[in-house]
Amino acid sequence: MWMTNVVALCLLGLVSSAEDKKLSSHATTLADNSANLAFSLYHNMAKEKGVENILISPVVVASSLGLVALGGKASTASQVKTVLSADKLKDEHLHAGLSELLSEVWGTRNTTWKINNRLYGPSSVSFADDFVKSSKKHYNYDHTKINFRDKRSTLNSINEWGAKSTDGKLPEITKDVQNADGAMIVNAMFFKPHWHEKFHEKMVDNRGFLVTRSFTVSVPMMHRTGLYDFYEDTENKLYVLNMPLGQKQTSMIYIMPYHLEPLERLEKLLTRKQVDTWLSKMENKAVAISLPKISLEVSHNLQKHLADLGLTEAVDKTKADLSNISGKKDLYLSNVFHASAFEFDVGGNPFDPSIFGNEKLRNPKLFYADHPFIFLIKDNKTNSILYIGRVVRPKGDKMRDEL
């Protein structure tokens, strides 16, 4: 089963029995549905003004939804199945399937992924023993009561817990807590890709990242040339690059316009079907890659976005029935904080130096990520999406006022 509190995966070998094990039909269905949720949720979040970088883990969001279903009754619980397009699944298959999917993607991947989940309740609540046991078993959730009336203490408690659970990588979950009178879900994560072929640590230099035409920041840029699956969509003027992680169990997919532009045009194209089409047209060829060597710390409150996707009762104080949590109809879902620290770094498996004499490396395509792009991390066994996000404004010092 999972580790207590933190799932920390730094696995450099493969276990053949785990690799050969097939997912149940319920887990396969939920993997597929959570991938669809990834795009729906991303689009809903991208509409919000003022949002720059986006970073969400659809499988972790699915686990949060599973927790709501576990704690809910009647239509409050059934709405979770609607959001996950899993209306036909029985409750026990929903929880077992999500548990199996999460265990699969967290248990055998050659990367670093630390995840901690916690349900906060007001100090007046009493968590039901059955709910505590089931939520721990299926979704690895801890439970904490907190005095929400003391806002400063609440903020400090949440942020200190998030920092500790990610080894300091995520210093802040939130600056404020609105509607601090209900149940609050908090996800704190740290993800660091482990490339199938690493970048050379000495091939890193400072370059400009174009946030807008009038705002450029200085970021370290890492470079390497190799053979990668690549597609140039000339009609839509964009590049798609597939970079395998670990032992090719997962892939990081970059989607980037030719030149600096707002991402709205690309986001209108962004559907699961379109991504699958791009991937089907890829060819393995030489690509000279330059990527920002950066860290992102991004936190979203997903409560409103999940409500927009159909989770309307759980977030409504007058309608929510989360009585499985405490045995009373005294809670609603007031906040869903989903926070991640993410590091783009050089580390990975050793590369084969003999490839540099390969004729295929002549005249490589260029993938120079010096302006906003979208990325996905796709699990190649389950076809679930571990992360979807965009990099619009990385941290860095301002370089110049205009091009």
Side-chain angles (χ1 to χ4, degrees):
M1 235 24 215
W2 299 338
M3 290 184 184
T4 303
N5 294 331
V6 176
V7 181
L9 309 176
C10 303
L11 306 176
L12 300 178
L14 296 177
V15 180
S16 59
S17 60
E19 184 69 15
D20 296 337
K21 181 183 176 183
K22 290 186 178 181
L23 290 181
S24 69
S25 61
H26 312 308
T28 300
T29 295
L30 289 162
D32 189 64
N33 295 356
S34 68
N36 291 328
L37 174 66
F39 293 93
S40 299
L41 187 55
Y42 179 94
H43 283 293
N44 192 275
M45 296 175 69
K47 293 177 187 175
E48 192 172 293
K49 292 182 179 179
V51 173
E52 293 179 332
N53 302 325
I54 291 176
L55 190 56
I56 49 177
S57 172
V59 291
V60 174
V61 173
S63 76
S64 297
L65 288 169
L67 183 82
V68 175
L70 199 63
K73 287 184 177 179
S75 52
T76 299
S78 64
Q79 280 188 347
V80 170
K81 292 183 181 179
T82 301
V83 174
L84 286 173
S85 302
D87 298 278
K88 295 181 180 180
L89 285 185
K90 295 180 180 179
D91 289 352
E92 59 266 30
H93 294 157
L94 175 75
H95 300 305
L98 283 172
S99 179
E100 182 185 352
L101 171 62
L102 297 168
S103 181
E104 169 63 34
V105 298
W106 289 339
T108 59
R109 300 304 180 258
N110 180 11
T111 192
T112 298
W113 198 4
K114 296 183 179 180
I115 302 165
N116 216 330
N117 302 311
R118 181 168 282 191
L119 179 69
Y120 286 89
S123 51
S124 59
V125 75
S126 295
F127 294 112
D129 289 342
D130 286 348
F131 173 77
V132 169
K133 290 176 183 177
S134 295
S135 58
K136 187 71 176 176
K137 172 185 174 183
H138 293 299
Y139 303 115
N140 199 36
Y141 262 79
D142 285 332
H143 311 79
T144 299
K145 293 194 287 185
I146 196 167
N147 181 10
F148 288 130
R149 293 178 181 178
D150 187 344
K151 183 172 281 192
R152 178 175 292 183
S153 176
T154 297
L155 280 173
N156 288 341
S157 176
I158 294 170
N159 290 330
E160 286 173 7
W161 168 79
K164 183 178 180 181
S165 63
T166 57
D167 295 334
K169 299 293 185 178
L170 190 65
E172 185 176 82
I173 300 286
T174 182
K175 295 182 183 297
D176 195 14
V177 178
Q178 300 291 333
N179 302 321
D181 58 348
M184 183 163 57
I185 286 174
V186 186
N187 310 128
M189 295 164 279
F190 169 59
F191 192 94
K192 185 175 182 178
H194 184 93
W195 305 109
H196 179 62
E197 292 183 329
K198 68 179 182 179
F199 288 76
H200 198 296
E201 54 272 8
K202 292 185 178 179
M203 292 182 65
V204 177
D205 55 8
N206 286 330
R207 303 282 180 100
F209 186 96
L210 310 173
V211 178
T212 67
R213 293 192 178 277
S214 60
F215 190 79
T216 302
V217 296
S218 175
V219 299
M221 196 77 81
M222 51 190 185
H223 316 275
R224 83 174 313 273
T225 299
L227 297 174
Y228 291 95
D229 289 341
F230 181 85
Y231 176 64
E232 180 179 356
D233 185 339
T234 55
E235 179 182 352
N236 292 305
K237 297 182 172 59
L238 56 88
Y239 303 111
V240 186
L241 172 67
N242 187 339
M243 296 187 69
L245 305 181
Q247 303 296 332
K248 298 187 177 181
Q249 293 175 298
T250 51
S251 296
M252 193 155 180
I253 300 160
Y254 290 87
I255 310 167
M256 184 178 70
Y258 281 176
H259 307 293
L260 170 65
E261 62 173 273
L263 287 178
E264 285 88 343
R265 180 183 69 86
L266 173 53
E267 287 170 339
K268 287 179 181 178
L269 298 171
L270 190 68
T271 63
R272 187 179 180 188
K273 182 178 180 181
Q274 181 61 72
V275 170
D276 287 343
T277 298
W278 284 327
L279 294 178
S280 71
K281 293 182 177 181
M282 285 187 155
E283 295 180 8
N284 192 254
K285 57 181 63 180
V287 187
I289 300 168
S290 294
L291 296 177
K293 181 180 178 292
I294 56 174
S295 61
L296 300 176
E297 295 90 36
V298 184
S299 182
H300 305 288
N301 190 344
L302 300 183
Q303 192 232 37
K304 174 183 176 297
H305 303 295
L306 292 174
D308 289 344
L309 296 182
L311 195 75
T312 57
E313 285 198 12
V315 302
D316 188 326
K317 187 188 299 187
T318 65
K319 296 180 180 179
D321 184 351
L322 296 174
S323 51
N324 281 339
I325 295 178
S326 65
K328 299 178 182 179
K329 200 174 176 180
D330 58 350
L331 289 173
Y332 77 108
L333 191 60
S334 59
N335 294 278
V336 182
F337 291 115
H338 187 81
S340 290
F342 196 107
E343 285 189 6
F344 297 82
D345 207 347
V346 297
N349 300 330
F351 53 80
D352 181 3
S354 67
I355 193 174
F356 295 110
N358 194 320
E359 286 287 323
K360 290 183 178 180
L361 286 190
R362 290 192 175 186
N363 302 316
K365 292 286 186 178
L366 298 180
F367 189 89
Y368 191 78
D370 70 340
H371 55 280
F373 57 85
I374 291 171
F375 68 92
L376 302 92
I377 297 180
K378 180 175 176 289
D379 183 71
N380 295 325
K381 178 179 178 180
T382 66
N383 284 324
S384 56
I385 294 174
L386 308 188
Y387 269 100
I388 184 170
R390 69 184 184 192
V391 176
V392 172
R393 184 171 179 170
K395 291 179 290 186
D397 294 330
K398 184 178 179 181
M399 289 184 67
R400 56 182 183 267
D401 291 331
E402 58 184 40
L403 297 176

